[in-house]
Amino acid sequence: MSEHDIFLAIFNYVAHLFSVIKPQKLFFLAVDGVAPRAKMNQQRSRRFRTAKEAKETLEKAKRRGEEIPEEEGFDSNCITPGTPFMARLSAQLKYFIAKKVSEDADWRGVEIILSGHEVPGEGEHKIMEYIRLAKAQPGYNPNMRHCLYGLDADLIMLGLLSHDPHFCLLREEVTFGPRGGKGKAKRCVRLWIASTHEPACGRVC
């Protein structure tokens, strides 16, 4: 995929999540920033391993005589805070939000917050910090409903630690064909209640 196609896919999926959640007051979009020092070492080793595996895969394909595309493939290691790719992504996200607010009435009715890669901390922790600060403000509505989307497993613990009675997690579930059999993969969005870990409201595919 080209960088242009990647940005379009991101925008389409953000818009899809917005339509699924239907926020009424606030939509917080957080991009991972610089991680704590303890996790930097893990991320560095993961990126070195990814680069090594990509090089080995390319060499195996050449030995088998497979046709190699002339253009360079997308290097996922550029998805790192501080890289030119992330700077372009932040600029494109700002443009996307401004465009949706100006054209879509549903987006104009809520407050939109974008926390880019230049803000330190992982995305889910930045969102939880915002929720904790909001709860500390006078006049906070204890019946406020929160919905957090993400693929990391620690979102379950973060949701429980919020001690909020109305906290939902939005997770993806990939199923292969009918009842897990062989077939085309289908991506579904499944709603989980953080306090019980049991699915609710079914799926939106």
Side-chain angles (χ1 to χ4, degrees), residues 5-195:
D5 293 334
I6 291 173
F7 289 157
L8 286 179
I10 292 172
F11 299 157
N12 289 333
Y13 201 68
V14 170
H16 170 66
L17 290 175
F18 189 96
S19 64
V20 169
I21 299 170
K22 294 181 174 63
Q24 301 299 309
K25 293 187 176 182
L26 176 73
F27 185 65
F28 197 117
L29 184 61
V31 180
D32 282 354
V34 176
R37 179 65 185 176
K39 191 168 184 178
M40 280 185 184
N41 296 330
Q42 180 200 26
Q43 290 179 337
R44 186 181 293 113
S45 63
R46 187 192 309 161
R47 292 186 183 109
F48 275 116
R49 185 168 61 251
T50 300
K52 182 183 177 186
E53 291 174 353
K55 182 179 179 181
E56 292 175 349
T57 302
L58 181 62
E59 291 175 351
K60 288 180 181 178
K62 288 180 178 179
R63 284 197 298 268
R64 288 195 298 264
E66 296 181 8
E67 185 177 351
I68 307 299
E70 293 181 1
E71 65 274 6
E72 292 187 8
F74 179 75
D75 184 9
S76 61
N77 285 328
C78 70
I79 309 177
T80 305
T83 60
F85 172 82
M86 295 301 292
R88 291 192 295 272
L89 175 62
S90 291
Q92 293 294 326
L93 283 173
K94 291 176 184 177
Y95 168 78
F96 167 74
I97 291 173
K99 181 177 175 64
K100 295 296 288 187
V101 169
S102 64
E103 297 178 354
D104 195 328
D106 293 335
W107 285 67
R108 282 196 297 270
V110 299
E111 181 183 359
I112 311 292
I113 298 178
L114 172 63
S115 178
H117 72 108
E118 64 275 0
V119 181
E122 294 179 275
E124 61 267 27
H125 293 284
K126 291 193 282 189
I127 293 174
M128 294 305 301
E129 182 182 6
Y130 181 89
I131 294 175
R132 286 192 293 268
L133 290 174
K135 292 176 68 174
Q137 302 302 316
Y140 174 77
N141 181 10
N143 293 319
M144 181 77 70
R145 296 180 181 272
H146 305 287
C147 182
L148 183 61
Y149 167 81
L151 301 179
D152 293 347
D154 60 348
L155 295 182
I156 298 174
M157 298 306 300
L158 290 174
L160 289 170
L161 289 173
S162 69
H163 299 290
D164 208 301
H166 306 291
F167 201 104
C168 296
L169 298 182
L170 204 59
R171 301 292 302 276
E172 281 185 2
E173 181 184 39
V174 180
T175 57
F176 294 88
R179 298 186 178 275
K182 293 183 179 180
K184 185 178 180 181
K186 182 173 62 174
R187 297 171 71 87
C188 299
V189 176
R190 194 170 189 176
L191 189 61
W192 293 81
I193 304 300
S195 58

